[in-house]
Amino acid sequence: MGTLGTSVRVLHVDDDPDFAETAAAFLERDDARFEVETATSASAGLDRLADEEFDCVVSDYEMPGRNGIEFLEAVSQDYPDLPFILYTGRGSEEVASDAISAGVTDYLQKGTGTSQYTVLANRISNAVEQYRTNRRAAELDRVRTLASDINQAIVRAESPREVKARACEIISASEPYLFAWIGDVDPDTGQVEPEVSAGTEDGYLDTVTVTTDDDPTGQGPVGTAISERRVAVSQNIAEDPAFEPWRADAIERGYRAAAAVPLEYQDTLYGALVVYAERTNSFDENERELLAELGRDIAHVLHSFDVRARLREEREFIEQALDSLNDVFYVLNADGTFRRWNDQLSAVTGYGDEELAEIQAIELFPEGEREKIADAIEEALTTGETTVESEFLTADGEHIPYEFTGSQLTSTDDRVGLIGIGRDLTARKQRERRLQRLIDTLPGMVYRCRNDPGRPTEEIRGNVREITGYDASELERTDGLYGEGVVHPDDREERSSAVQNGLDAHEAFEVTYRIRTEDGEVKWVWERGQGVYADDGEPVALEGFITDITEREQRKLAVDALHETAQSVMRADTAAQVAEITVDTISDVLDMPANGLHLYDEDEGGLVPAAWTDRTEEIVGEPPTIAPDEGIAGNAFETGRSQVYSNISTVADRFNPNTSVRSQIAVPLDDHGVLLIGSPDPDAFDDVDVSLAEVAATHATTALDHIEHERELERQNERLEEFAGIVSHDLRNPLTVAEGHLELAREECDSEHLSGVAKMHDRMTILIDDLLALAHEGEEVTDPETVDLSDLVENCWHHVETADATLVGDVSRTLRADRSRLEQLLENLFRNAVEHGSTGPDSQARQGAVEHGDDVTVTVGGLSDGFYVADDGPGIPEGDYDRIFESGYSTSDRGTGFGLAIVREIVEAHGWRIRATDSETGGARFEITGVESD
């Protein structure tokens, strides 16, 4: 019954309510810990005890119904340990005797004055203190017994599951517990899955879900215990909001309080122990400490099972590992006999395990080596370690070179033997020989140097003399010679910084720099290396590889220079200028002084020399014109493939049999001509020279293509201007005359046929205007201006006959464009939408769209790099998305077929893109992209 807290709850039963209230007031004033509740009869008092918890009962003797003694007897049946003080106005030895016989805690007769309440308060305090002391002693004894029983059980358990099961069984059989289970978190589901349980369960674990996350199922005692690694309790399941997900099922099974305990040992969680009690507030401080200690004990035992399992696995692993070693493993006793060995020792020596157990280790070596082996064993036993090379003498008499390392094996201060490894030197020496052959064939040198000032070279092998001009021994002998003498002075700081950065980051480093060889030649080298670190992480040495990349660097410089000159050649205005720049580039940048460029001349019918160097003229004289099918140059031009010869004196179809040229490169310039490079020396050019020459030829070809394209554009513009003049003069004048005659005819007669003629005149006018627009709109826009698209859309809409059509403007941006052409583009798209975008029947739409406007809506909106114009009309016929931009295409009897063609020309003149697609409402949508915003 009552809790062992600081407050004291007292039930005062007296049939005089005024007296009871007065007494309660004085008691609470006398001792602040007191909380006094009153009742006016024994039956009312029993009801209060059934509903609430109290630490003491104070009762009058004479009361209606049951008297104080009868009330005491009733209370003792249900709450035998609860303190009961009989506080009565009728004092007699008979009443006192009856009270003592009934087990009253104390007897006090009512008096006069307020001092009686002080006495009563003192009696209550003493009774409750004694009551609590007895309860604590009983609880402590129960707790100790429970802990002892569990510890005895789990230490005798033979498996982790038995540990958990026995703990749950003992706990659930002990008051006030009803049920206990242990579970762990499933890493896949995140749920706490029960493993074992005991007690009154009735399918409880089948109905509940427990997690450790932020969901309501993770906020109860179990989730909290696992997440926060502490004992978590619910002292009153019925009122604890955190227990809401499981409350109904728990109460149904009689659970009133619950506690969860993390099973943790040395930061390892082995799950959680969950305990349910039959009464509220069951888990006081002592109980929680017990559960925490039990959790640690259970976790400790589970940990010991883990340790034993790991040790078994470790032993098995070590056994397997030692037996699978290619090396010999051995343990010697102090007297030199074998204590332990792996299968490899038997396999190598040819002796069985029984034989090895009976012989001395030195007996496995030739007579001449045994003294050395004995000394090595003694050295290891004395100094702690040794290394020795010798030959095994096998049972078959074979000699196998081995290296043995051994370390002293001790127990406290006594030497107990030697442990070590024997490694077959045959394989290692073979590897060393292969490594040396590999190093000898590498296009560079490998090195090791100490991480000391100047980084002195310990060892360097490979093409040392070929790269540096120094002997390897000289670099090894002279500290700092490579870093301070061979590395170019201007590059030493950069190299040193790259090396140090790699060492600091414990990463490999790469660096390209120049060196100066012993005879003063400057070369480019590439180095890759990494640090060798001590156990404390400090770099003690560097190891790496260095190779000569002089040719690659020179080629890179040449390529960079070619790309720089490419800008010059692209600025050339004529083919002759392209030829001059290319010839100079080949001579000055690529160091090929004898070269020339021939351009194909259709009138001449051959490859005409356009530019050549003085050196070329010295060797062959003034270059001649070459027929397309003549010689090496003609072959390159005709086939479109580069021709490379190391000695053309052996080429039968060379252009000049008597030429002094020996090496030659001929690179075609597509259909523009050919680039020729020569030398009087055979084998003058390598693959790099050819590659660089082809790069220069590519630049020249691109420049010639550009010049030819520009000329073609000029010719097209001239033809367009001529066409525009013809349309403007030769078509408009006859049309003007025809319109005049039509007007005279209308004055002389009234005929319905004249209206048809007038409509045809209007259509011819539109056709002429569209043809002129089409002729001019294709010209490239060279001077764009800033245009406010929103304002321009509104202006263009008012310039077009739109009748009842509606414009929705949803764009706010400024563009870089030719304003007048952009106006033409928008007006054409608006006119197209109105003429083709009616939502009525197709035939009516195309006949009456402009006259009536119908209900078409045109929308102008923005895109990330442009804008669109869309309508809600019938849309574009399937399959016609590309054809609609063709000149003459139209689905309307009134259309000319040039409107969208003009739009495309304007778009392309700006360098934009246009795409036709369906709008969201099923109509037509034109997207213009690639637009430069301001």
Side-chain angles (χ1 to χ4, degrees):
M1 197 55 196
T3 60
L4 301 179
T6 58
S7 65
V8 177
R9 301 197 75 239
V10 179
L11 177 61
H12 187 189
V13 182
D14 197 303
D15 60 343
D16 184 348
D18 292 335
F19 180 79
E21 292 296 334
T22 301
F26 276 96
L27 288 173
E28 289 179 347
R29 189 182 70 175
D30 194 74
D31 194 327
R33 298 177 301 164
F34 288 177
E35 298 176 7
V36 182
E37 301 290 338
T38 63
T40 57
S41 67
S43 59
L46 290 173
D47 290 340
R48 294 295 296 272
L49 287 171
D51 294 336
E52 302 177 53
E53 295 181 355
F54 292 93
D55 296 295
C56 184
V57 175
V58 177
S59 176
D60 191 10
Y61 175 72
E62 292 183 341
M63 294 183 294
R66 295 179 179 176
N67 61 30
I69 301 299
E70 293 169 337
F71 180 38
L72 168 61
E73 292 172 344
V75 170
S76 297
Q77 287 182 354
D78 293 330
Y79 315 106
D81 299 324
L82 183 63
F84 193 103
I85 299 175
L86 191 61
Y87 183 43
T88 178
R90 178 185 174 184
S92 69
E93 292 184 2
E94 181 183 356
V95 172
S97 176
D98 291 343
I100 293 171
S101 298
V104 73
T105 305
D106 206 345
Y107 175 86
L108 181 65
Q109 188 172 355
K110 294 177 181 177
T112 59
T114 59
S115 61
Q116 63 178 318
Y117 303 120
T118 301
V119 175
L120 178 60
N122 186 54
R123 299 287 182 89
I124 292 172
S125 178
N126 291 338
V128 171
E129 182 63 31
Q130 183 63 40
Y131 167 66
R132 290 181 173 178
T133 299
N134 293 339
R135 284 293 302 271
R136 280 196 294 270
E139 287 295 319
L140 186 58
D141 184 62
R142 180 184 64 81
V143 165
R144 288 172 176 169
T145 300
L146 179 61
S148 175
D149 291 346
I150 292 176
N151 281 325
Q152 290 180 35
I154 62 178
V155 297
R156 289 195 297 268
E158 296 182 356
S159 69
R161 185 174 183 84
E162 185 180 349
V163 169
K164 299 174 183 178
R166 291 294 292 131
C168 290
E169 290 168 0
I170 295 172
I171 292 173
S172 63
S174 174
E175 289 189 2
Y177 309 131
L178 293 176
F179 177 54
W181 62 276
I182 292 177
D184 202 357
V185 179
D186 187 326
D188 296 328
T189 65
Q191 295 185 3
V192 181
E193 299 293 344
E195 296 180 40
V196 298
S197 64
T200 306
E201 193 257 346
D202 294 334
Y204 176 71
L205 295 179
D206 297 332
T207 65
V208 300
T209 298
V210 182
T211 63
T212 59
D213 53 22
D214 294 332
D215 290 340
T217 55
Q219 301 306 302
V222 181
T224 303
I226 291 176
S227 300
E228 300 182 12
R229 305 293 178 91
R230 65 176 178 83
V231 176
V233 301
S234 177
Q235 297 284 24
N236 191 339
I237 289 176
E239 297 181 2
D240 186 355
F243 214 89
E244 192 277 332
W246 318 278
R247 179 179 296 125
D249 292 314
I251 291 177
E252 179 183 347
R253 290 161 175 81
Y255 309 156
R256 296 296 180 264
V261 185
L263 305 181
E264 182 183 23
Y265 184 79
Q266 294 182 347
D267 296 329
T268 298
L269 186 69
Y270 293 92
L273 166 66
V274 191
V275 181
Y276 300 84
E278 62 183 349
R279 65 170 184 255
T280 59
N281 299 306
S282 294
F283 302 102
D284 58 20
E285 183 178 355
N286 288 336
E287 204 82 1
R288 293 194 296 273
E289 289 179 358
L290 161 72
L291 292 174
E293 184 177 350
L294 283 177
R296 290 190 292 270
D297 291 344
I298 294 171
H300 191 180
V301 174
L302 294 175
H303 172 74
S304 68
F305 277 102
D306 270 1
V307 170
R308 288 197 292 270
R310 287 197 296 270
L311 288 175
R312 284 195 300 271
E313 293 175 359
E314 190 72 18
R315 281 196 299 270
E316 293 173 359
F317 171 77
I318 291 174
E319 293 287 347
Q320 294 175 3
L322 291 177
D323 287 338
S324 64
L325 285 176
N326 290 325
D327 294 331
V328 167
F329 169 79
Y330 61 90
V331 177
L332 300 181
N333 294 310
D335 60 2
T337 58
F338 286 103
R339 179 176 180 180
R340 175 80 181 277
W341 58 91
N342 65 350
D343 292 345
Q344 187 67 11
L345 180 61
S346 298
V348 171
T349 63
Y351 292 100
D353 290 341
E354 293 182 358
E355 294 174 290
L356 290 172
E358 298 295 330
I359 63 175
Q360 293 277 327
I362 61 173
E363 296 180 44
L364 297 179
F365 298 91
E367 287 285 347
E369 297 284 308
R370 292 181 180 180
E371 183 178 352
K372 180 172 69 173
I373 297 300
D375 291 342
I377 293 174
E378 183 60 28
E379 180 183 359
L381 293 175
T382 303
T383 65
E385 60 183 23
T386 189
T387 299
V388 63
E389 290 186 12
S390 184
E391 292 182 337
F392 259 143
L393 179 61
T394 71
D396 295 334
E398 182 183 359
H399 291 249
I400 304 175
Y402 257 75
E403 178 189 68
F404 298 92
T405 59
S407 299
Q408 187 184 83
L409 190 64
T410 60
S411 174
T412 62
D413 295 331
D414 297 329
R415 297 184 303 169
V416 298
L418 177 69
I419 184 171
I421 291 288
R423 180 160 298 168
D424 188 343
L425 292 183
T426 304
R428 190 180 75 180
K429 291 183 180 299
Q430 290 174 345
R431 289 195 300 270
E432 288 179 350
R433 287 194 294 270
R434 288 196 299 269
L435 177 61
Q436 184 59 52
R437 288 196 298 270
L438 176 63
I439 292 174
D440 291 341
T441 58
L442 282 175
M445 52 190 184
V446 294
Y447 68 88
R448 178 186 173 94
C449 63
R450 296 194 306 277
N451 189 36
D452 293 334
R455 297 200 169 95
T457 303
E458 291 183 343
E459 184 177 8
I460 187 166
R461 289 187 285 172
N463 300 332
V464 181
R465 172 165 286 280
E466 290 83 347
I467 294 176
T468 67
Y470 293 92
D471 288 331
S473 59
E474 189 174 0
L475 292 174
E476 294 170 351
R477 186 173 59 252
T478 308
D479 286 351
L481 175 58
Y482 184 83
E484 298 175 4
V486 177
V487 177
H488 196 285
D490 294 342
D491 295 347
R492 288 172 190 167
E493 183 176 350
E494 179 182 354
R495 175 182 181 264
S496 178
S497 177
V499 172
Q500 192 60 49
N501 289 340
L503 292 177
D504 293 342
H506 285 231
E507 295 177 350
F509 63 85
E510 294 183 9
V511 59
T512 299
Y513 56 92
R514 291 167 295 175
I515 63 170
R516 197 188 302 276
T517 67
E518 187 179 30
D519 59 5
E521 181 185 359
V522 175
K523 293 182 178 180
W524 283 92
V525 296
W526 173 80
E527 179 179 351
R528 177 183 173 85
Q530 61 184 15
V532 178
Y533 300 88
D535 293 339
D536 60 0
E538 287 298 314
V540 296
L542 287 84
E543 295 177 346
F545 173 75
I546 301 171
T547 188
D548 186 348
I549 59 167
T550 303
E551 290 186 2
R552 189 182 76 183
E553 286 297 310
Q554 290 174 343
R555 181 168 69 252
K556 179 181 176 183
L557 293 174
V559 170
D560 291 343
L562 282 177
H563 287 311
E564 291 179 5
T565 59
Q567 300 179 12
S568 299
V569 76
M570 289 303 297
R571 289 194 294 267
D573 295 324
T574 66
Q577 291 178 352
V578 171
E580 290 289 346
I581 295 172
T582 301
V583 165
D584 290 342
T585 298
I586 298 295
S587 177
D588 298 339
V589 175
L590 303 187
D591 193 23
M592 301 178 187
N595 75 88
L597 191 146
H598 292 239
L599 295 174
Y600 180 73
D601 189 320
E602 189 173 354
D603 295 335
E604 293 288 337
L607 298 165
V608 178
W612 59 90
T613 62
D614 293 340
R615 179 57 177 158
T616 298
E617 193 164 340
E618 291 175 4
I619 297 174
V620 301
E622 183 176 340
T625 297
I626 304 172
D629 58 351
E630 194 174 18
I632 296 172
N635 188 20
F637 180 73
E638 284 291 312
T639 62
R641 294 192 299 270
S642 298
Q643 306 292 314
V644 182
Y645 292 94
S646 59
N647 192 341
I648 65 173
S649 64
T650 61
V651 179
D653 58 348
R654 60 186 183 277
F655 179 77
N656 179 7
N658 300 318
T659 181
S660 59
V661 174
R662 288 296 174 264
S663 300
Q664 186 164 14
I665 302 173
V667 185
L669 309 176
D670 289 348
D671 57 354
H672 299 294
V674 65
L675 172 66
L676 299 176
I677 304 171
S679 171
D681 301 320
D683 298 311
F685 307 118
D686 56 19
D687 292 341
V688 175
D689 295 327
V690 175
S691 176
L692 294 174
E694 289 177 339
V695 171
T698 299
H699 293 161
T701 302
T702 303
L704 293 170
D705 286 341
H706 177 71
I707 292 172
E708 188 173 294
H709 176 68
E710 290 294 322
R711 289 180 178 175
E712 181 60 26
L713 286 178
E714 291 176 1
R715 289 192 293 269
Q716 288 180 3
N717 289 336
E718 290 173 358
R719 290 196 297 270
L720 285 172
E721 290 295 333
E722 181 180 356
F723 172 73
I726 292 173
V727 171
S728 178
H729 183 271
D730 294 355
L731 293 182
R732 282 192 185 277
N733 287 349
L735 180 59
T736 302
V737 173
E739 289 173 339
H741 283 294
L742 175 61
E743 188 172 343
L744 292 175
R746 279 178 166 170
E747 293 176 358
E748 294 179 0
C749 65
D750 184 13
S751 172
E752 62 181 11
H753 299 296
L754 296 179
S755 296
V757 173
K759 289 182 179 180
M760 292 301 101
H761 286 171
D762 291 341
R763 180 169 176 77
M764 292 177 64
T765 299
I766 294 172
L767 280 169
I768 291 171
D769 290 342
D770 284 351
L771 283 171
L772 287 173
L774 189 63
H776 289 97
E777 296 302 349
E779 297 178 2
E780 182 180 354
V781 174
T782 57
D783 189 20
E785 59 182 297
T786 300
V787 179
D788 188 307
L789 183 58
S790 180
D791 292 343
L792 189 63
V793 166
E794 289 291 337
N795 293 338
C796 293
W797 183 256
H798 294 304
H799 294 165
V800 177
E801 295 182 43
T802 57
D804 294 331
T806 302
L807 173 67
V808 176
D810 188 21
V811 60
S812 177
R813 64 177 59 196
T814 56
L815 312 176
R816 297 288 295 168
D818 185 308
R819 184 182 184 86
S820 63
R821 294 204 212 178
L822 184 55
E823 286 178 349
Q824 180 70 52
L825 180 149
L826 290 170
E827 290 174 4
N828 280 19
L829 290 178
F830 291 161
R831 191 176 293 111
N832 178 78
V834 172
E835 292 180 356
H836 299 81
S838 171
T839 57
D842 191 52
S843 61
Q844 296 177 9
R846 293 175 179 172
Q847 293 174 4
V850 175
E851 290 93 342
H852 307 295
D854 286 331
D855 55 354
V856 66
T857 297
V858 180
T859 302
V860 181
L863 298 172
S864 61
D865 62 340
F867 60 92
Y868 68 86
V869 177
D871 62 60
D872 58 357
I876 302 168
E878 186 176 355
D880 286 1
Y881 291 101
D882 294 326
R883 291 186 56 230
I884 59 174
F885 295 110
E886 296 177 0
S887 298
Y889 175 87
S890 177
T891 60
S892 171
D893 295 336
R894 300 173 53 84
T896 65
F898 292 111
L900 293 180
I902 293 172
V903 169
R904 183 187 63 186
E905 291 289 341
I906 295 173
V907 167
E908 293 178 350
H910 281 84
W912 303 338
R913 298 178 299 277
I914 187 168
R915 184 175 79 99
T917 184
D918 295 330
S919 69
E920 294 180 355
T921 58
R925 172 176 165 128
F926 297 91
E927 297 178 348
I928 293 89
T929 56
V931 179
E932 179 185 359
S933 297
D934 196 28

